[in-house]
Amino acid sequence: MASGILRMVGSVFVTSLTGPKEILKHTRSRIYSKPPRNRIGAGQSFFVMSVFAAAMLVPAAWILHHLPEYRQRSRQAPKA
């Protein structure tokens, strides 16, 4: 664990001494991409982001809406 941390700190120190040109070479060698097959338009992006937001917010809103009911249930004595 400690050796891994020392390696990370050492590599940061060495790359800070070599300058931005060396960092740029390493970054370029790791980046690989192709152009997209199909372009995604603004309408499609908006639709997907809306569905994602709804998927995250609807369950939270449902829970918050029913929160008073949950509080009343917890105050009632359990049925034996």
Side-chain angles (χ1 to χ4, degrees), residues 16-62:
S16 65
L17 293 177
T18 57
K21 290 181 183 178
E22 189 70 28
I23 295 171
L24 188 60
K25 286 180 186 177
H26 289 297
T27 304
R28 284 185 184 167
S29 67
R30 285 184 268 158
I31 295 175
Y32 177 75
S33 64
K34 295 180 182 178
R37 289 184 185 171
N38 302 320
R39 291 202 154 256
I40 298 174
Q44 290 173 332
S45 296
F46 179 75
F47 175 73
V48 169
M49 294 300 285
S50 299
V51 169
F52 178 74
M56 295 303 217
L57 294 176
V58 167
W62 189 86

Side-chain angles (χ1 to χ4, degrees), residues 51-79:
V51 169
F52 178 74
M56 295 303 217
L57 294 176
V58 167
W62 189 86
I63 290 170
L64 288 174
H65 177 73
H66 292 286
L67 197 58
E69 295 173 21
Y70 296 140
R71 286 182 181 163
Q72 287 177 355
R73 284 186 198 173
S74 66
R75 289 180 187 156
Q76 292 175 354
K79 297 178 181 178

